[in-house]
Amino acid sequence: MAPTMTDAAMGIGEIERLEKRAFELVNAERVRNGENPLVWDEDLCKLAREHSSNMAQKRFFDHVTPDGRDMVARARSQGIQGWHALAENIALNKGFDDPAGLAVERWMQSTRHRTNILYAAFNRSAIGIARAADGTVYLTQDFVSR
């Protein structure tokens, strides 16, 4: 997916670095808790980046888009198939030096987000990040079991 205008201001290299950092931190939590690490999935990255960009551009923070599409609908529209389970974590923050680290820290403090991260059946994941014009960083992590 091409970078959005807000991503370009941040720099696609910086976006990718933050996405990989958050992903590595999630895998470290999984290993620390006796679970296998997740495998990076490019299709999920595209899905997650699109959702983060949409939230940044339209200024909403939800798993459901303003036009009513949830993660399953968004995944289907991008041709993601062959899954048994899907889940999604979202986060936003502004003004922090390590938005990826902060997001993972907060996800691990939340029962529902932690459950997604540590769910043994999930084997693939990716994180997509976008920055809004006001500097707010939106993070979406999508999980799949195939």
Side-chain angles (χ1 to χ4, degrees):
M1 181 166 122
T4 65
M5 191 183 251
T6 54
D7 293 343
M10 187 177 196
I12 192 65
E14 178 69 4
I15 294 276
E16 290 172 349
R17 186 189 69 75
L18 288 173
E19 290 168 347
K20 295 293 184 179
R21 172 159 169 67
F23 185 76
E24 290 167 3
L25 290 170
V26 163
N27 271 338
E29 290 293 343
R30 284 180 62 89
V31 169
R32 187 174 9 266
N33 285 277
E35 298 300 336
N36 291 325
L38 298 161
V39 175
W40 183 266
D41 187 294
E42 284 298 325
D43 291 335
L44 292 180
C45 181
K46 181 180 176 187
L47 180 69
R49 280 183 182 167
E50 182 177 287
H51 190 60
S52 289
S53 292
N54 196 17
M55 288 190 294
Q57 291 172 3
K58 295 182 180 171
R59 306 295 298 162
F60 74 96
F61 183 67
D62 201 317
H63 295 282
V64 180
T65 64
D67 63 354
R69 295 181 333 132
D70 63 10
M71 182 193 184
V72 172
R74 289 184 278 118
R76 285 184 178 146
S77 73
Q78 288 198 12
I80 296 174
Q81 300 174 1
W83 48 269
H84 305 288
L86 289 171
E88 182 172 77
N89 288 343
I90 58 175
L92 67 82
N93 59 65
K94 181 179 177 181
F96 291 91
D97 291 335
D98 184 8
L102 181 64
V104 174
E105 178 183 320
R106 288 181 178 168
W107 285 336
M108 291 305 292
Q109 293 170 355
S110 161
T111 301
R112 289 174 53 187
H113 295 98
R114 180 183 175 91
T115 297
N116 285 342
I117 288 171
L118 299 180
Y119 185 53
F122 288 138
N123 51 13
R124 301 182 72 81
S125 181
I127 296 172
I129 295 176
R131 180 175 293 188
D134 72 354
T136 302
V137 177
Y138 291 82
L139 300 94
T140 302
Q141 179 173 30
D142 290 331
F143 302 88
V144 69
S145 171
R146 289 190 174 147

Short mmCIF file of all heavy atoms in Angstrom, two decimals, residues 8-55:
data_model
loop_
_atom_site.label_atom_id
_atom_site.label_comp_id
_atom_site.label_asym_id
_atom_site.label_seq_id
_atom_site.Cartn_x
_atom_site.Cartn_y
_atom_site.Cartn_z
N ALA A 8 3.62 9.95 4.79
CA ALA A 8 4.75 10.55 4.11
C ALA A 8 5.43 11.57 5.01
O ALA A 8 6.65 11.69 5.01
CB ALA A 8 4.29 11.19 2.80
N ALA A 9 4.64 12.32 5.78
CA ALA A 9 5.21 13.29 6.70
C ALA A 9 6.05 12.59 7.76
O ALA A 9 7.05 13.11 8.22
CB ALA A 9 4.10 14.13 7.34
N MET A 10 5.66 11.39 8.16
CA MET A 10 6.40 10.62 9.15
C MET A 10 7.56 9.91 8.48
O MET A 10 8.59 9.70 9.08
CB MET A 10 5.47 9.61 9.82
CG MET A 10 6.05 8.87 10.97
SD MET A 10 4.76 7.81 11.67
CE MET A 10 5.49 7.43 13.23
N GLY A 11 7.39 9.52 7.23
CA GLY A 11 8.41 8.77 6.50
C GLY A 11 8.09 7.29 6.53
O GLY A 11 7.92 6.71 7.61
N ILE A 12 7.98 6.66 5.36
CA ILE A 12 7.61 5.26 5.30
C ILE A 12 8.64 4.40 6.02
O ILE A 12 8.30 3.39 6.64
CB ILE A 12 7.34 4.78 3.85
CG1 ILE A 12 6.66 3.41 3.84
CG2 ILE A 12 8.61 4.79 3.02
CD1 ILE A 12 5.29 3.37 4.44
N GLY A 13 9.91 4.78 5.98
CA GLY A 13 10.94 4.04 6.70
C GLY A 13 10.70 4.04 8.20
O GLY A 13 10.87 3.02 8.88
N GLU A 14 10.30 5.19 8.73
CA GLU A 14 9.99 5.30 10.16
C GLU A 14 8.75 4.48 10.49
O GLU A 14 8.69 3.82 11.53
CB GLU A 14 9.80 6.76 10.54
CG GLU A 14 9.42 6.99 12.00
CD GLU A 14 10.52 6.67 12.99
OE1 GLU A 14 11.65 6.32 12.58
OE2 GLU A 14 10.25 6.76 14.20
N ILE A 15 7.75 4.52 9.64
CA ILE A 15 6.53 3.71 9.84
C ILE A 15 6.91 2.24 9.93
O ILE A 15 6.51 1.54 10.86
CB ILE A 15 5.55 3.93 8.66
CG1 ILE A 15 5.02 5.34 8.63
CG2 ILE A 15 4.43 2.90 8.67
CD1 ILE A 15 3.86 5.64 9.50
N GLU A 16 7.67 1.76 8.97
CA GLU A 16 8.04 0.34 8.95
C GLU A 16 8.88 -0.03 10.17
O GLU A 16 8.71 -1.11 10.74
CB GLU A 16 8.80 0.02 7.66
CG GLU A 16 7.90 0.05 6.44
CD GLU A 16 8.65 -0.09 5.13
OE1 GLU A 16 9.91 -0.01 5.12
OE2 GLU A 16 7.97 -0.27 4.10
N ARG A 17 9.77 0.85 10.60
CA ARG A 17 10.59 0.59 11.78
C ARG A 17 9.71 0.44 13.02
O ARG A 17 9.89 -0.48 13.82
CB ARG A 17 11.62 1.71 11.97
CG ARG A 17 12.61 1.43 13.11
CD ARG A 17 13.48 2.64 13.42
NE ARG A 17 12.74 3.73 14.03
CZ ARG A 17 12.31 3.75 15.30
NH1 ARG A 17 12.52 2.73 16.09
NH2 ARG A 17 11.66 4.81 15.75
N LEU A 18 8.75 1.34 13.16
CA LEU A 18 7.85 1.27 14.32
C LEU A 18 6.96 0.03 14.27
O LEU A 18 6.71 -0.60 15.30
CB LEU A 18 7.00 2.53 14.40
CG LEU A 18 7.72 3.81 14.83
CD1 LEU A 18 6.80 5.01 14.69
CD2 LEU A 18 8.26 3.70 16.25
N GLU A 19 6.49 -0.31 13.08
CA GLU A 19 5.66 -1.52 12.95
C GLU A 19 6.45 -2.76 13.36
O GLU A 19 5.95 -3.60 14.13
CB GLU A 19 5.19 -1.67 11.50
CG GLU A 19 4.17 -0.64 11.09
CD GLU A 19 3.92 -0.60 9.59
OE1 GLU A 19 4.69 -1.20 8.80
OE2 GLU A 19 2.93 0.06 9.19
N LYS A 20 7.68 -2.88 12.88
CA LYS A 20 8.50 -4.04 13.22
C LYS A 20 8.86 -4.04 14.70
O LYS A 20 8.90 -5.10 15.33
CB LYS A 20 9.78 -4.07 12.36
CG LYS A 20 9.52 -4.27 10.89
CD LYS A 20 8.95 -5.63 10.56
CE LYS A 20 8.81 -5.78 9.05
NZ LYS A 20 8.30 -7.05 8.64
N ARG A 21 9.12 -2.87 15.28
CA ARG A 21 9.42 -2.79 16.72
C ARG A 21 8.24 -3.30 17.54
O ARG A 21 8.42 -4.12 18.45
CB ARG A 21 9.77 -1.37 17.11
CG ARG A 21 9.91 -1.20 18.63
CD ARG A 21 10.70 0.00 19.03
NE ARG A 21 10.60 0.28 20.45
CZ ARG A 21 11.06 -0.49 21.43
NH1 ARG A 21 11.68 -1.62 21.14
NH2 ARG A 21 10.92 -0.15 22.69
N ALA A 22 7.05 -2.84 17.23
CA ALA A 22 5.86 -3.30 17.97
C ALA A 22 5.69 -4.81 17.80
O ALA A 22 5.39 -5.52 18.76
CB ALA A 22 4.62 -2.55 17.50
N PHE A 23 5.88 -5.30 16.58
CA PHE A 23 5.74 -6.72 16.30
C PHE A 23 6.75 -7.54 17.11
O PHE A 23 6.40 -8.57 17.72
CB PHE A 23 5.93 -6.97 14.79
CG PHE A 23 5.70 -8.38 14.38
CD1 PHE A 23 4.42 -8.90 14.28
CD2 PHE A 23 6.77 -9.21 14.06
CE1 PHE A 23 4.19 -10.21 13.88
CE2 PHE A 23 6.56 -10.52 13.66
CZ PHE A 23 5.27 -11.02 13.57
N GLU A 24 8.00 -7.08 17.15
CA GLU A 24 9.02 -7.78 17.93
C GLU A 24 8.70 -7.77 19.42
O GLU A 24 8.93 -8.77 20.12
CB GLU A 24 10.39 -7.16 17.66
CG GLU A 24 10.91 -7.45 16.26
CD GLU A 24 12.10 -6.59 15.87
OE1 GLU A 24 12.59 -5.78 16.70
OE2 GLU A 24 12.54 -6.72 14.71
N LEU A 25 8.18 -6.66 19.91
CA LEU A 25 7.80 -6.58 21.33
C LEU A 25 6.65 -7.54 21.65
O LEU A 25 6.64 -8.18 22.70
CB LEU A 25 7.42 -5.14 21.71
CG LEU A 25 8.58 -4.15 21.74
CD1 LEU A 25 8.05 -2.73 21.89
CD2 LEU A 25 9.55 -4.48 22.87
N VAL A 26 5.69 -7.65 20.74
CA VAL A 26 4.58 -8.59 20.92
C VAL A 26 5.12 -10.02 20.95
O VAL A 26 4.75 -10.82 21.81
CB VAL A 26 3.52 -8.41 19.82
CG1 VAL A 26 2.59 -9.61 19.74
CG2 VAL A 26 2.72 -7.14 20.06
N ASN A 27 6.02 -10.35 20.03
CA ASN A 27 6.58 -11.70 20.02
C ASN A 27 7.40 -11.98 21.27
O ASN A 27 7.38 -13.10 21.79
CB ASN A 27 7.40 -11.94 18.75
CG ASN A 27 6.55 -12.50 17.64
OD1 ASN A 27 5.48 -13.07 17.87
ND2 ASN A 27 7.01 -12.32 16.41
N ALA A 28 8.09 -10.99 21.79
CA ALA A 28 8.83 -11.17 23.04
C ALA A 28 7.87 -11.50 24.18
O ALA A 28 8.16 -12.36 25.03
CB ALA A 28 9.65 -9.92 23.36
N GLU A 29 6.71 -10.84 24.21
CA GLU A 29 5.70 -11.13 25.24
C GLU A 29 5.16 -12.55 25.06
O GLU A 29 4.94 -13.26 26.05
CB GLU A 29 4.55 -10.12 25.18
CG GLU A 29 4.93 -8.73 25.62
CD GLU A 29 5.26 -8.63 27.11
OE1 GLU A 29 4.91 -9.55 27.90
OE2 GLU A 29 5.88 -7.62 27.49
N ARG A 30 4.92 -12.96 23.83
CA ARG A 30 4.43 -14.32 23.58
C ARG A 30 5.44 -15.35 24.08
O ARG A 30 5.08 -16.29 24.78
CB ARG A 30 4.13 -14.52 22.10
CG ARG A 30 2.83 -13.85 21.66
CD ARG A 30 2.56 -14.07 20.19
NE ARG A 30 2.38 -15.46 19.82
CZ ARG A 30 1.22 -16.13 19.82
NH1 ARG A 30 0.11 -15.50 20.19
NH2 ARG A 30 1.17 -17.39 19.43
N VAL A 31 6.70 -15.19 23.72
CA VAL A 31 7.73 -16.14 24.13
C VAL A 31 7.86 -16.15 25.65
O VAL A 31 7.94 -17.21 26.28
CB VAL A 31 9.07 -15.81 23.44
CG1 VAL A 31 10.22 -16.61 24.04
CG2 VAL A 31 8.95 -16.07 21.93
N ARG A 32 7.84 -14.96 26.27
CA ARG A 32 7.94 -14.85 27.73
C ARG A 32 6.79 -15.59 28.42
O ARG A 32 6.92 -16.08 29.53
CB ARG A 32 7.96 -13.37 28.13
CG ARG A 32 8.23 -13.12 29.58
CD ARG A 32 8.39 -11.66 30.01
NE ARG A 32 8.09 -10.60 29.08
CZ ARG A 32 8.98 -9.99 28.29
NH1 ARG A 32 10.24 -10.37 28.28
NH2 ARG A 32 8.61 -9.02 27.49
N ASN A 33 5.67 -15.70 27.72
CA ASN A 33 4.49 -16.36 28.29
C ASN A 33 4.28 -17.77 27.74
O ASN A 33 3.19 -18.33 27.85
CB ASN A 33 3.25 -15.49 28.05
CG ASN A 33 3.21 -14.30 28.98
OD1 ASN A 33 2.78 -14.41 30.11
ND2 ASN A 33 3.71 -13.16 28.52
N GLY A 34 5.31 -18.34 27.14
CA GLY A 34 5.28 -19.73 26.70
C GLY A 34 4.57 -20.00 25.39
O GLY A 34 4.25 -21.15 25.08
N GLU A 35 4.33 -18.97 24.59
CA GLU A 35 3.67 -19.14 23.29
C GLU A 35 4.68 -19.01 22.16
O GLU A 35 5.72 -18.38 22.30
CB GLU A 35 2.57 -18.09 23.10
CG GLU A 35 1.45 -18.17 24.11
CD GLU A 35 0.71 -19.49 24.12
OE1 GLU A 35 0.71 -20.19 23.08
OE2 GLU A 35 0.12 -19.82 25.15
N ASN A 36 4.36 -19.60 21.02
CA ASN A 36 5.21 -19.47 19.84
C ASN A 36 5.12 -18.05 19.29
O ASN A 36 4.07 -17.41 19.37
CB ASN A 36 4.76 -20.45 18.75
CG ASN A 36 5.03 -21.88 19.13
OD1 ASN A 36 6.03 -22.18 19.78
ND2 ASN A 36 4.15 -22.77 18.72
N PRO A 37 6.22 -17.57 18.72
CA PRO A 37 6.17 -16.25 18.09
C PRO A 37 5.25 -16.27 16.87
O PRO A 37 5.07 -17.30 16.23
CB PRO A 37 7.61 -15.96 17.70
CG PRO A 37 8.32 -17.27 17.74
CD PRO A 37 7.54 -18.18 18.63
N LEU A 38 4.70 -15.13 16.57
CA LEU A 38 3.86 -14.95 15.39
C LEU A 38 4.73 -14.74 14.16
O LEU A 38 5.86 -14.27 14.26
CB LEU A 38 2.96 -13.72 15.57
CG LEU A 38 1.98 -13.78 16.74
CD1 LEU A 38 1.49 -12.39 17.11
CD2 LEU A 38 0.83 -14.70 16.41
N VAL A 39 4.19 -15.07 13.00
CA VAL A 39 4.86 -14.84 11.72
C VAL A 39 4.25 -13.58 11.10
O VAL A 39 3.02 -13.42 11.08
CB VAL A 39 4.66 -16.06 10.79
CG1 VAL A 39 5.24 -15.79 9.40
CG2 VAL A 39 5.28 -17.31 11.40
N TRP A 40 5.11 -12.70 10.59
CA TRP A 40 4.66 -11.47 9.93
C TRP A 40 3.89 -11.84 8.67
O TRP A 40 4.33 -12.68 7.88
CB TRP A 40 5.86 -10.60 9.58
CG TRP A 40 5.48 -9.29 8.96
CD1 TRP A 40 5.40 -9.00 7.63
CD2 TRP A 40 5.15 -8.09 9.65
NE1 TRP A 40 5.03 -7.69 7.44
CE2 TRP A 40 4.87 -7.11 8.67
CE3 TRP A 40 5.06 -7.73 10.99
CZ2 TRP A 40 4.52 -5.80 9.00
CZ3 TRP A 40 4.70 -6.43 11.31
CH2 TRP A 40 4.42 -5.49 10.33
N ASP A 41 2.75 -11.19 8.46
CA ASP A 41 1.89 -11.48 7.32
C ASP A 41 1.66 -10.18 6.54
O ASP A 41 1.04 -9.25 7.06
CB ASP A 41 0.56 -12.06 7.82
CG ASP A 41 -0.34 -12.54 6.71
OD1 ASP A 41 -0.80 -11.69 5.91
OD2 ASP A 41 -0.60 -13.75 6.65
N GLU A 42 2.15 -10.12 5.30
CA GLU A 42 2.05 -8.91 4.49
C GLU A 42 0.60 -8.51 4.19
O GLU A 42 0.29 -7.32 4.13
CB GLU A 42 2.84 -9.05 3.19
CG GLU A 42 4.34 -8.93 3.37
CD GLU A 42 4.79 -7.57 3.92
OE1 GLU A 42 4.18 -6.53 3.58
OE2 GLU A 42 5.76 -7.56 4.69
N ASP A 43 -0.27 -9.50 3.98
CA ASP A 43 -1.68 -9.18 3.74
C ASP A 43 -2.30 -8.51 4.97
O ASP A 43 -3.07 -7.56 4.84
CB ASP A 43 -2.48 -10.43 3.37
CG ASP A 43 -2.11 -10.98 2.00
OD1 ASP A 43 -1.63 -10.20 1.15
OD2 ASP A 43 -2.31 -12.19 1.79
N LEU A 44 -1.97 -9.01 6.15
CA LEU A 44 -2.47 -8.38 7.38
C LEU A 44 -1.86 -7.01 7.59
O LEU A 44 -2.52 -6.10 8.11
CB LEU A 44 -2.20 -9.27 8.59
CG LEU A 44 -2.97 -10.57 8.68
CD1 LEU A 44 -2.59 -11.35 9.94
CD2 LEU A 44 -4.48 -10.35 8.63
N CYS A 45 -0.61 -6.83 7.17
CA CYS A 45 0.02 -5.51 7.28
C CYS A 45 -0.75 -4.50 6.43
O CYS A 45 -1.03 -3.38 6.88
CB CYS A 45 1.49 -5.57 6.86
SG CYS A 45 2.33 -3.98 6.99
N LYS A 46 -1.09 -4.89 5.22
CA LYS A 46 -1.86 -4.00 4.34
C LYS A 46 -3.21 -3.65 4.98
O LYS A 46 -3.63 -2.50 4.98
CB LYS A 46 -2.06 -4.67 2.98
CG LYS A 46 -2.82 -3.83 1.99
CD LYS A 46 -3.00 -4.55 0.67
CE LYS A 46 -3.86 -3.72 -0.25
NZ LYS A 46 -4.20 -4.42 -1.48
N LEU A 47 -3.87 -4.66 5.54
CA LEU A 47 -5.16 -4.46 6.21
C LEU A 47 -5.01 -3.51 7.40
O LEU A 47 -5.79 -2.58 7.58
CB LEU A 47 -5.71 -5.81 6.65
CG LEU A 47 -7.05 -5.81 7.36
CD1 LEU A 47 -8.17 -5.42 6.41
CD2 LEU A 47 -7.32 -7.20 7.96
N ALA A 48 -3.98 -3.75 8.21
CA ALA A 48 -3.76 -2.93 9.41
C ALA A 48 -3.37 -1.50 9.05
O ALA A 48 -3.86 -0.54 9.66
CB ALA A 48 -2.69 -3.58 10.28
N ARG A 49 -2.50 -1.35 8.06
CA ARG A 49 -2.10 0.01 7.64
C ARG A 49 -3.30 0.79 7.12
O ARG A 49 -3.46 1.98 7.40
CB ARG A 49 -1.04 -0.05 6.55
CG ARG A 49 0.35 -0.31 7.06
CD ARG A 49 1.34 -0.28 5.94
NE ARG A 49 2.68 -0.57 6.43
CZ ARG A 49 3.70 -0.86 5.65
NH1 ARG A 49 3.53 -0.90 4.33
NH2 ARG A 49 4.88 -1.12 6.18
N GLU A 50 -4.13 0.11 6.34
CA GLU A 50 -5.31 0.79 5.80
C GLU A 50 -6.23 1.27 6.93
O GLU A 50 -6.74 2.38 6.89
CB GLU A 50 -6.07 -0.13 4.85
CG GLU A 50 -7.27 0.53 4.22
CD GLU A 50 -7.97 -0.37 3.23
OE1 GLU A 50 -7.42 -0.58 2.14
OE2 GLU A 50 -9.06 -0.87 3.57
N HIS A 51 -6.42 0.42 7.94
CA HIS A 51 -7.30 0.82 9.04
C HIS A 51 -6.70 1.98 9.84
O HIS A 51 -7.40 2.94 10.17
CB HIS A 51 -7.62 -0.37 9.95
CG HIS A 51 -8.69 -0.08 10.94
ND1 HIS A 51 -9.96 0.29 10.57
CD2 HIS A 51 -8.68 -0.08 12.30
CE1 HIS A 51 -10.70 0.51 11.65
NE2 HIS A 51 -9.94 0.30 12.71
N SER A 52 -5.39 1.90 10.13
CA SER A 52 -4.75 3.00 10.85
C SER A 52 -4.81 4.29 10.06
O SER A 52 -5.10 5.36 10.61
CB SER A 52 -3.29 2.65 11.17
OG SER A 52 -3.22 1.66 12.17
N SER A 53 -4.55 4.21 8.75
CA SER A 53 -4.63 5.41 7.90
C SER A 53 -6.03 5.98 7.87
O SER A 53 -6.22 7.20 7.93
CB SER A 53 -4.17 5.08 6.48
OG SER A 53 -2.80 4.78 6.46
N ASN A 54 -7.02 5.11 7.79
CA ASN A 54 -8.42 5.54 7.78
C ASN A 54 -8.76 6.26 9.09
O ASN A 54 -9.39 7.33 9.08
CB ASN A 54 -9.33 4.32 7.56
CG ASN A 54 -10.74 4.69 7.16
OD1 ASN A 54 -11.02 5.81 6.74
ND2 ASN A 54 -11.63 3.73 7.30
N MET A 55 -8.32 5.68 10.23
CA MET A 55 -8.59 6.32 11.52
C MET A 55 -7.90 7.68 11.60
O MET A 55 -8.48 8.66 12.08
CB MET A 55 -8.14 5.42 12.68
CG MET A 55 -9.02 4.21 12.90
SD MET A 55 -8.67 3.32 14.44
CE MET A 55 -7.01 2.69 14.15
#
